[in-house]
Amino acid sequence: MTARTWRPEDPGAVAIALDTLVADVHFRADVAPRSLGHKALAVNLSDLAAMGAQPRRALVHAAHPAPSPAWEEAFAAGIGELAERFAVRMDRRPVRTGPLLVSVEIAGTFPGSAPPLLRSGARPGDLIYVTGTLGDAAGAPGGAGGLAARLDRPEPRVAAGLALRSIATSAIDVSDGLCADLGHVLRASGAGATLEAARLPLSGELCAAFGRKQATDLALAGGDDYELAFTVPPGREKLLAGAELGVAVSRIGVVERGPGLRCLDGDGRPRSVPAGYEHFATPRSTEPQE
């Protein structure tokens, strides 16, 4: 074990995230090493984004059954390109021989005076928003190239997270599925919510591959989108409209006093709330409809 010390650039709280990605659980074993490097860092950047933190430093460990110089070079390039974009100082250890996996520990700080974003701040009456589009990564196994890119090379919403610190009351990144992750926010906040399925932001490519109904199911339950779900008091909607988020946002529901998560279909009728991704469960298969 190696000990490291670090003096943050910004005084105050420090955010720490740690994620380990395992082959055929969190990524396809045959994924390009450059894409794997990108995703390994991106999912950790997404965790910091959900807290409204500015990423600063990261430590990377990886293992491969038969590491080669070419594989290591491409993997390092994928990490390095994303690290450079977000000014993350990297500490990358040599790739070890073993089962294919990547582990990243990342640290960030909170510039300015706004408090960190937590899961516990949602209040009844708050409006629920999400960034980007949902369900694309879950549709990758049965979809076309653009959906695969969303799975293999997610885009961390760091700029949005930083801007939302002065606007949102709570936030989380959508890694295990919208319903599952929003459920974490509601439990931490002691609240419930109703989602409107017709408001979910779906990409044209996802709808073309699966149809609107199945695309909606993927948006509700599919994982690996790494978009942000967050809550905003009605009085701050104008602030949200003027914020530099770097991505479109969609209002999809409202926080309520009654516990639990409810969902309405396009006709306003209740529909079932699907479970999200469960770690260590049998992977789900996804096939497009005829």
Side-chain angles (χ1 to χ4, degrees):
M1 179 178 293
T2 302
R4 297 281 181 182
T5 60
W6 170 52
R7 186 180 299 277
E9 291 84 347
D10 304 304
V14 174
I16 302 291
L18 172 63
D19 216 336
T20 298
L21 278 64
V22 180
D24 290 328
V25 176
H26 304 102
F27 61 91
R28 295 175 290 105
D30 62 350
V31 70
R34 199 181 198 104
S35 293
L36 177 57
H38 174 104
K39 183 167 185 174
L41 182 57
V43 301
N44 284 272
L45 289 170
S46 183
D47 283 332
L48 293 191
M51 294 182 269
Q54 176 69 56
R56 298 295 187 186
R57 298 191 65 168
L59 173 64
V60 181
H61 291 274
H64 190 283
S68 67
W71 190 95
E72 290 193 44
E73 182 179 354
F75 173 74
I79 293 179
E81 290 165 358
L82 199 59
E84 184 175 359
R85 278 179 54 197
F86 291 100
V88 178
R89 183 176 175 183
M90 299 298 302
D91 185 356
R92 188 176 61 83
R93 304 302 170 81
V95 177
R96 297 186 177 186
T97 301
L100 181 56
L101 60 82
V102 184
S103 183
V104 176
E105 181 177 6
I106 193 166
T109 58
F110 298 94
S113 58
L117 289 169
L118 303 176
R119 299 180 180 183
S120 56
R123 296 293 179 263
D126 284 359
L127 304 173
I128 303 170
Y129 283 83
V130 292
T131 61
T133 58
L134 300 175
D136 293 332
L147 302 181
R150 286 294 307 274
L151 175 64
D152 295 339
R153 300 179 70 86
E155 179 64 23
R157 303 304 186 185
V158 174
L162 289 168
L164 288 171
R165 275 176 51 210
S166 60
I167 301 172
T169 52
S170 69
I172 192 170
D173 71 327
V174 182
S175 56
D176 295 338
L178 175 64
C179 290
D181 289 317
L182 188 56
H184 298 321
V185 171
L186 299 178
R187 284 189 291 275
S189 300
T194 293
L195 298 179
E196 297 179 53
R199 288 181 172 270
L200 294 176
L202 307 176
S203 71
E205 187 170 2
L206 186 70
C207 291
F210 295 93
R212 180 85 190 185
K213 182 180 183 300
Q214 192 174 356
T216 298
D217 291 339
L218 292 172
L220 288 170
D224 279 319
D225 283 313
Y226 297 101
E227 298 292 351
L228 299 183
F230 58 97
T231 56
V232 175
R236 296 184 191 171
E237 280 191 283
K238 290 184 178 180
L239 294 177
L240 183 63
E244 296 182 3
L245 304 178
V247 62
V249 299
S250 303
R251 179 166 60 88
I252 61 170
V254 63
V255 179
E256 299 169 333
R257 294 189 181 279
L261 180 61
R262 295 160 287 279
C263 187
L264 303 178
D265 64 17
D267 297 322
R269 295 175 298 188
R271 58 159 291 166
S272 60
V273 177
Y277 173 79
E278 295 182 13
H279 290 280
F280 308 113
T282 302
R284 300 184 300 270
S285 62
T286 305
E287 297 295 338
Q289 68 181 30
E290 297 297 330

